[in-house]
Amino acid sequence: MLILGLISGAFAFLLPAISGLREAVHLTNHSRHVLTTANHLHRLVIDLETGQRGFVIAGDESFLQPWRQARASIPEQAATLERLASAQSAAQGDRARQIKQSVEAYIRDYSVPTVEAARRDPASARTVAVTEEGKRRVDAIRGQFERFVNFENQLLASRQERAADAAVRATAATSVGVAGSILLILLFDTYLIRSIVRPVRKAAAVASRLADGDLTARMPETGAGEIGKLEVAFNSMGRSLEESRELTEKAHRRLKLLYDASTAVGTTLDVRRTAEELVKVVVPEFADFVTVDLAVAVLRGDDHRPDEGEMLCRVAIGCIRNTGSFHPPGVLITWAPPTPQARSFDGGLALLEPDLRASTAWRSRDPEAAARILDHGIHSLITTPLRARGVRMGVVSFWRSRQPGRFDEEDLSYAVELTAKAGVVIDNARRYAHERNTALTLQRNLLPQRLPVQPAVEIAFRYQPAGAQTGVGGDWFDVIPLSGCRVALVVGDVVGHGIHAAATMGRLRTAVRTLADVDLPPDELLTHLDDLVIHLTSGEQPGMAEGDTAAFAELGATCLYAVYDPVSRRCTLATAGHPLPVLLTPDGTTELVRGPVGPPLGVGGLPFETTELRLTEGTVIALFTDGLVETRDRDIDQGLAELRRALALPTASLEDICDTVTGALLDGRAADDAALLLARTEALSPDQVAMWEVPADPALVARTRKLAIDQLLVWGLDEMEFVTGLVVSELVTNAMRHGTGPIQLRLIRDRTLICEVSDGSNTAPHLRRARVFDEGGRGLLLVAQLTQGWGTRQTTSGKTIWCEQALPPPVPSSDGAPGDEVSRAA
């Protein structure tokens, strides 16, 4: 009865404590359930974000599989989290509701629109703004999860403390009841303490440690019956939780590696740099050694598809220590067919060699090198092919030495995914290199390879294409010989980069040369060129009005056209939106040409005005494009000031001036295309030019012919008397018969003999075939047959008809000196 009384009293105290313990345990289990649901929802959000990003980067629909599964599971999981959280805490219910709303908003407002945008236009979904917006939203959701989990952990800790307190109270009640009993009760109490109370306390302590995150906590499995089962259950739960944490941490590390790879690999459009970035991401987190071997065609940017057994080039290598056992970058390698690298490259399959010492196939190419690799402790290998759009580009090898664990199937799938991401980026870099090489080749063929020899100016030039990141542009220049020893200097810039800009540049250069053959003044030439650009714009952009700025943005260009006459030393120029040139006088001072600047080509509606300069012999005209003087960190005024300082530096020749200017302003690099054209003016001496005013009297034609022949005798060109006399007679007679006064005859002796007849009529002559009994119509035909070339050009007061004759070869004199030089000296 005493025992029953003591037991009844003990139970009177123990039952409420057990009830409190059960309630505390129930609340603790509820908190664990809430945390499990929150972690599951968090993983679904990560799957959603990872799948969406992979699709945007790679454009592969397979990345959307986890994204769709996450979208399908998130609503139910979020509702469960909200229901569980609201059941015990209103505050947690509000937090869960906010998480649900944020996740739904992220899917509705960002994830789904981004995937749809990537399907429509991948380039628009890969912008920095889209990536930053997604990162900001995901970081905000992660912050909400962190606050929710922290608060729930606090609730869990407090409930565990209540459970421990309840257990302590139950134990105390039992101890008090037993302490007042007799020795039998003491012995029985001792039995109870040893058999029940102590294991329960240990179980509570272990449970508390497990709840606090110490997953290494274990109980000694010494009990019997239910206590023994409880100890086994606690230990099994601890091992399961520890394994789950290890798997979670491993998965987190892999996701972080994939995320780092997506952000760190592909920062440039350079194949070698991309391979090096891949190596840096993988070592040492995933592998201890990594080698990247690419086909030579990929490095060149060719479209050639590599053949089986083709030689590969070691592009990058990453390691945790000395790489003496591996081929260095730059070495050409041919993998033997039995090796994993050859099988991966030829077959397009990833291969796993978990134990290299047990495998013999990979040693077949070079047994000695394989032995050195094994001596370094390397024990496991994964080889994955680099492929994109069905094209084999190379192979990546992952090696482990320091990490004790071998590669497994899970590591193989991760390596395949990582290499697939890198393959897309490397293929983009290869395609960019191919396009750039094509554009450079087109541009080089369209730009002048050598400049013509002419008497008006001494020429030097430099052209530097833009850097690899920007692409080939449309800057161009030209030097065009004109009639009367004149020369046209042209420089221009086409908006944009790439093949389109280079092709447009070639069309404009051809158009300028064609218009220059007509010998138009600079302002008229630019007007015709402006009309051509407007027609090109309207033709390439259907539905747009001529001169529409939207169309012009696709085909905009600037151009400066200057004509220099060495006889009058006058330079006439006009510009369509292009910077005016800088002059370097013979005394070393520089001057920026001031004058009207017309609108860029393609705008239309506004006239072009000319600027006329009278230059001293030896003046250097510096024509350039904006890529030479303007950069992101230097405005055009600062660039012009630096250009003038560089031009003023003392140099020996025009070539040295070019090197000085480009070295000072470009420093070997160009963010945009840069062109520099230097022309040092020459002047014809007065004894090389003869000019007469001719009255409009047919009777004076013979006298005019006599004046021309006398001038030829002075120049020592008596062999040219007949042809020149005939040409002068025909041209002067035509001017008197078909033109108006005043009439002027001019002879210029330089590398050729130039004969020019000017009159006040704007009517241009043309060749025609005279019939047998026609009395006229043979004059210009004779001129064309007897001279090297002829033409007509419009002037402000009429027109000028000109023709050129090749000078006779110099005849050696009696003392051995060329006869031409003797006549010049005379």
Side-chain angles (χ1 to χ4, degrees):
M1 293 299 295
L2 180 59
I3 293 175
L4 291 176
L6 291 173
I7 292 175
S8 299
F11 271 93
F13 289 94
L14 187 60
L15 286 178
I18 292 176
S19 178
L21 176 62
R22 183 176 60 183
E23 181 180 359
V25 171
H26 172 72
L27 293 176
T28 301
N29 292 334
H30 182 270
S31 293
R32 290 196 183 97
H33 193 187
V34 170
L35 288 174
T36 302
T37 304
N39 289 333
H40 189 194
L41 180 59
H42 188 202
R43 288 195 298 272
L44 290 176
V45 172
I46 292 176
D47 291 343
L48 181 76
E49 193 268 342
T50 303
Q52 159 214 306
R53 185 173 66 252
F55 174 72
V56 170
I57 293 174
D60 190 349
E61 285 288 335
S62 63
F63 285 99
L64 292 182
Q65 183 62 28
W67 180 79
R68 295 190 184 96
Q69 294 177 354
R71 280 189 59 194
S73 303
I74 280 175
E76 179 182 358
Q77 200 67 23
T80 302
L81 178 63
E82 180 182 0
R83 175 175 55 79
L84 293 175
S86 302
Q88 297 295 334
S89 172
Q92 282 294 81
D94 292 337
R95 293 186 180 92
R97 194 173 300 108
Q98 292 176 0
I99 291 175
K100 176 183 178 184
Q101 293 173 353
S102 298
V103 173
E104 291 174 349
Y106 174 77
I107 296 173
R108 180 183 65 253
D109 300 336
Y110 177 81
S111 183
V112 173
T114 300
V115 171
E116 293 176 352
R119 286 172 171 164
R120 295 191 303 269
D121 183 9
S124 65
R126 296 182 186 137
T127 63
V128 175
V130 174
T131 303
E132 289 296 328
E133 176 63 14
K135 184 177 183 300
R136 182 188 65 76
R137 288 176 175 267
V138 171
D139 290 342
I141 293 174
R142 288 175 176 171
Q144 290 177 339
F145 271 110
E146 184 177 358
R147 290 190 293 272
F148 179 89
V149 171
N150 289 339
F151 187 84
E152 194 64 32
N153 283 331
Q154 293 175 1
L155 290 177
L156 179 61
S158 64
R159 290 168 179 173
Q160 287 173 343
E161 291 177 359
R162 289 200 300 270
D165 291 340
V168 171
R169 286 194 299 272
T171 303
T174 303
S175 300
V176 170
V178 175
S181 66
I182 58 178
L183 180 59
L184 181 60
I185 297 175
L186 291 175
L187 294 175
F188 185 68
D189 183 58
T190 302
Y191 168 77
L192 290 177
I193 292 174
R194 291 180 176 179
S195 301
I196 299 176
V197 176
R198 288 180 179 176
V200 170
R201 284 182 174 178
K202 291 180 180 179
V206 171
S208 179
R209 291 174 60 187
L210 291 175
D212 290 339
D214 184 8
L215 301 183
T216 61
R218 298 289 186 272
M219 293 182 63
E221 299 181 4
T222 58
E226 297 298 328
I227 296 299
K229 294 180 180 179
L230 179 63
E231 293 171 347
V232 173
F234 264 100
N235 291 341
S236 298
M237 180 178 66
R239 286 191 292 269
S240 177
L241 290 174
E242 190 172 13
E243 292 175 358
S244 298
R245 184 177 66 178
E246 292 176 355
L247 292 176
T248 302
E249 291 176 350
K250 183 177 181 181
H252 177 73
R253 289 194 299 269
R254 295 293 168 81
L255 288 175
K256 186 177 183 302
L257 277 175
L258 288 176
Y259 177 78
D260 292 342
S262 64
T263 57
V265 178
T267 59
T268 65
L269 289 173
D270 182 80
V271 174
R272 295 181 183 272
R273 179 68 179 275
T274 302
E276 293 170 356
E277 290 171 345
L278 171 63
V279 166
K280 290 180 180 179
V281 168
V282 175
V283 177
E285 296 297 330
F286 178 70
D288 299 321
F289 296 88
V290 177
T291 58
V292 180
D293 305 323
L294 296 178
V296 178
V298 175
L299 296 177
R300 293 196 304 261
D302 295 344
D303 284 336
H304 165 68
R305 293 176 177 265
D307 300 324
E308 292 187 4
E310 183 168 329
M311 184 175 294
L312 303 180
C313 178
R314 175 66 47 82
V315 178
I317 181 171
C319 61
I320 58 174
R321 57 175 182 267
N322 183 22
T323 60
S325 301
F326 295 91
H327 293 289
V331 174
L332 297 178
I333 302 172
T334 302
W335 293 101
T339 61
Q341 288 82 357
R343 287 184 288 159
S344 291
F345 179 70
D346 297 337
L349 298 176
L351 297 177
L352 170 64
E353 293 286 351
D355 187 359
L356 289 178
R357 294 188 179 275
S359 175
T360 57
W362 71 284
R363 308 185 194 183
S364 59
R365 188 184 71 87
D366 192 344
E368 295 182 0
R372 289 195 300 270
I373 290 176
L374 292 176
D375 292 340
H376 274 75
I378 297 175
H379 57 78
S380 192
L381 168 66
I382 289 179
T383 58
T384 57
L386 272 170
R387 299 172 64 91
R389 301 181 299 111
V391 178
R392 295 174 301 177
M393 297 184 295
V395 62
V396 182
S397 301
F398 303 89
W399 315 75
R400 272 188 182 173
S401 62
R402 184 182 62 180
Q403 301 185 32
R406 299 176 179 177
F407 285 122
D408 54 23
E409 293 296 333
E410 185 178 354
D411 295 324
L412 181 65
S413 63
Y414 168 75
V416 170
E417 183 175 0
L418 183 64
T419 309
K421 292 178 180 291
V424 173
V425 178
I426 291 177
D427 183 59
N428 289 339
R430 179 193 63 80
R431 296 169 66 187
Y432 171 79
H434 175 71
E435 181 179 347
R436 174 174 169 77
N437 293 337
T438 303
L440 277 174
T441 303
L442 175 63
Q443 188 182 51
R444 292 192 189 100
N445 291 333
L446 292 177
L447 285 174
Q449 304 300 313
R450 61 177 62 88
L451 297 179
V453 178
Q454 35 71 40
V457 290
E458 177 189 354
I459 294 295
F461 65 91
R462 291 291 184 274
Y463 178 81
Q464 184 165 333
Q469 294 297 325
T470 305
V472 177
D475 291 13
W476 59 284
F477 61 91
D478 209 347
V479 177
I480 307 173
L482 301 177
S483 62
C485 291
R486 298 171 305 132
V487 65
L489 307 174
V490 195
V491 65
D493 187 2
V494 175
V495 173
H497 296 85
I499 296 178
H500 178 72
T504 302
M505 174 268 290
R507 297 164 77 177
L508 291 183
R509 178 171 178 256
T510 303
V512 169
R513 277 193 161 268
T514 303
L515 294 172
D517 286 342
V518 186
D519 228 332
L520 296 175
D523 54 342
E524 294 185 24
L525 183 142
L526 290 183
T527 300
H528 286 285
L529 193 63
D530 183 55
D531 293 337
L532 172 64
V533 173
I534 292 176
H535 291 317
L536 291 176
T537 302
S538 60
E540 294 184 2
Q541 302 290 331
M544 291 187 179
E546 293 186 2
D548 193 338
T549 56
F552 167 66
E554 297 294 330
L555 189 60
T558 63
C559 181
L560 185 147
Y561 185 83
V563 176
Y564 173 70
D565 186 350
V567 177
S568 63
R569 302 199 307 277
R570 293 184 183 276
C571 179
T572 305
L573 60 90
T575 175
H578 202 85
L580 290 168
V582 175
L583 302 181
L584 173 62
T585 59
D587 59 3
T589 61
T590 60
E591 175 188 355
L592 179 63
V593 175
R594 305 291 181 181
V597 178
L601 298 173
V603 175
L606 296 176
F608 298 100
E609 301 181 34
T610 59
T611 300
E612 188 168 302
L613 308 172
R614 186 173 181 85
L615 304 178
T616 305
E617 182 180 0
T619 300
V620 175
I621 309 173
L623 295 91
F624 52 89
T625 59
D626 58 358
L628 181 70
V629 296
E630 188 175 13
T631 61
R632 291 181 178 178
D633 53 357
R634 180 179 64 201
D635 59 29
I636 190 169
D637 293 332
Q638 181 182 357
L640 288 174
E642 294 184 13
L643 172 61
R644 294 179 63 178
R645 284 195 294 270
L647 287 172
L649 295 175
T651 51
S653 64
L654 286 184
E655 295 292 336
D656 293 339
I657 296 178
C658 285
D659 294 336
T660 301
V661 170
T662 54
L665 276 75
L666 299 179
D667 192 21
R669 302 181 301 274
D672 193 6
D673 281 24
L676 173 66
L677 177 63
L678 299 181
R680 176 177 284 135
T681 61
E682 307 284 352
L684 297 183
S685 62
D687 60 354
Q688 290 181 269
V689 181
M691 184 169 57
W692 301 275
E693 298 291 336
V694 181
D697 184 359
L700 298 178
V701 173
R703 177 176 174 272
T704 303
R705 181 172 62 249
K706 179 67 168 55
L707 292 174
I709 293 175
D710 290 343
Q711 184 62 46
L712 293 182
L713 295 177
V714 172
W715 285 337
L717 301 177
D718 50 327
E719 296 182 13
M720 305 179 70
E721 289 181 20
F722 176 75
V723 174
T724 305
L726 180 60
V727 167
V728 169
S729 298
E730 290 296 337
L731 295 183
V732 171
T733 301
N734 284 341
M736 293 180 179
R737 181 177 299 175
H738 303 290
T740 59
I743 301 174
Q744 185 183 78
L745 170 64
R746 185 170 72 166
L747 296 180
I748 301 175
R749 180 184 184 276
D750 191 66
R751 291 179 173 84
T752 61
L753 178 64
I754 302 173
C755 178
E756 296 180 346
V757 176
S758 304
D759 64 76
S761 172
N762 290 323
T763 304
H766 61 278
L767 286 175
R768 66 184 181 89
R769 297 286 181 178
R771 290 172 294 182
V772 176
F773 298 103
D774 287 348
E775 296 183 0
R778 296 180 176 84
L780 284 181
L781 183 60
L782 289 175
V783 171
Q785 294 294 326
L786 296 175
T787 61
Q788 182 175 288
W790 76 281
T792 179
R793 66 175 181 268
Q794 298 295 326
T795 64
T796 56
S797 59
K799 68 175 182 296
T800 297
I801 303 175
W802 58 270
C803 62
E804 290 187 4
Q805 301 179 63
L807 297 179
V811 180
S813 60
S814 59
D815 59 356
D820 185 56
E821 296 297 329
V822 174
S823 65
R824 287 191 182 186

